[in-house]
Amino acid sequence: MPASRNPVLITGCSSGIGRAAADLLVKAGYTVYATARRPETLADLAAAGAHTLALDVTDEESMTAAVRAVEDTHGHVATLVNNAGYGVYGPIEEVGLDEVRRMFETNVFGLARMTQLVLPGMRAAGAGLIINIGSMGGRVAFPVGGYYHATKYAVEAMSDALRAEVGSFGIDVALVEPGPIRTSFEETINSSAAVGNPDSPYADLVAKVQDVNSGAYDSKLLAADAGAVADVILKAVESSKPRTRYLVTATARGLVHARRLGGDTVWDAIVRRQFS
């Protein structure tokens, strides 16, 4: 266990990837601060040995207080896992922009602000690790998910820029890009307001996307449990030189490489075949 990786602060631990990562890192012996908007949802992680804090990545006072609590005890946050996020789905034409702004506040601006808050302490310590939880959807885009993909494309760009900016201070930046992961994500995107409009000219496309998503998340071959992402997060934390990117699931690796190698023509043909 690299001593420079303790303590670990993780956002969005009430369920899914954040919860699995906090649990695994505690079991591996790390000092973990598991956070959520409602800290009462973290009782089992507290019982397992995690420190729990209230943290809402859309609230400046909440973010500042959480980082200060860790720094008051340990001097600095050694590892930040920017995990908090969610998806809003629907056609570009139909999704309300207020919903899009709220999603950007969590997925992009919350991640950015948490990063800003921990960096001074990391620079002073001469070491640190920031792990951003992105998505294969930050490198490929599917219909009806355009705004969600936009948030994850933003995380890709920010991670690349940040890596170049802070490397000389001894700070590493790693980007984890999961494919389909069996969490509450599918339920969240399928319940998005713009997805359920039967009078929409996109209704048939939306129904097809929902069907394809359900098949992917139900498949043992195409999807994985949150523990698969937690394993990759632990791998990055324990590495003295973390990789810049970690694609999680064979689905993610296959689609990202198909997009990269095939270009627009091949990718558009894949999308047409999948969603026609």
Side-chain angles (χ1 to χ4, degrees):
M1 177 196 305
S4 61
R5 300 302 193 215
N6 264 321
V8 182
L9 174 61
I10 309 175
T11 65
C13 294
S14 61
S15 63
I17 292 169
R19 178 176 291 273
D23 182 62
L24 183 62
L25 287 166
V26 166
K27 289 175 179 175
Y30 287 89
T31 302
V32 174
Y33 284 81
T35 71
R37 286 180 298 173
R38 295 183 294 114
E40 64 270 19
T41 63
L42 307 175
D44 57 334
L45 290 175
H51 304 274
T52 59
L53 294 171
L55 198 166
D56 180 346
V57 299
T58 67
D59 182 83
E60 174 69 19
E61 184 177 345
S62 175
M63 290 185 282
T64 302
V67 172
R68 185 185 302 120
V70 179
E71 291 182 340
D72 285 348
T73 302
H74 302 276
H76 73 292
V77 175
T79 300
L80 171 65
V81 181
N82 278 314
N83 168 72
Y86 70 101
V88 169
Y89 266 42
I92 295 296
E93 180 180 347
E94 297 184 345
V95 180
L97 290 182
D98 284 343
E99 293 182 80
V100 175
R101 291 185 184 97
R102 282 192 291 271
M103 181 171 57
F104 267 83
E105 283 291 343
T106 296
N107 295 9
V108 179
F109 303 130
L111 177 150
R113 185 57 180 146
M114 287 298 299
T115 300
Q116 290 179 336
L117 289 169
V118 303
L119 278 174
M122 288 183 175
R123 284 191 294 100
L129 171 63
I130 295 173
I131 300 175
N132 290 330
I133 307 302
S135 169
M136 73 172 185
R139 290 211 262 172
V140 300
F142 296 106
V144 186
Y147 289 118
Y148 169 74
H149 290 298
T151 69
K152 294 305 182 179
Y153 269 71
V155 171
E156 294 271 334
M158 289 163 58
S159 298
D160 284 342
L162 181 65
R163 190 172 65 251
E165 292 169 358
V166 301
S168 63
F169 301 116
I171 301 168
D172 295 308
V173 179
L175 180 60
V176 177
E177 303 165 313
I181 302 297
R182 287 184 287 269
T183 63
S184 59
F185 180 79
E186 181 197 358
E187 179 182 341
T188 301
I189 62 175
N190 282 342
S191 64
S192 299
V195 167
N197 178 10
D199 298 322
S200 167
Y202 303 98
D204 289 344
L205 174 62
V206 168
K208 182 62 176 178
V209 170
Q210 288 178 310
D211 183 61
V212 170
N213 282 343
S214 295
Y217 281 94
D218 287 343
S219 170
K220 292 183 179 180
L221 293 176
L222 298 178
D225 293 326
V229 186
D231 288 340
V232 169
I233 292 171
L234 176 61
K235 182 177 180 180
V237 171
E238 296 201 319
S239 174
S240 60
K241 190 173 178 58
R243 288 162 50 185
T244 58
R245 280 174 170 78
Y246 295 85
L247 278 164
V248 187
T249 75
T251 302
R253 289 188 289 273
L255 288 173
V256 166
H257 293 319
R259 179 70 180 90
R260 177 174 60 86
L261 296 173
D264 291 343
T265 301
V266 170
W267 182 252
D268 287 354
I270 291 172
V271 170
R272 283 194 302 271
R273 181 175 180 179
Q274 190 79 2
F275 297 104
S276 62

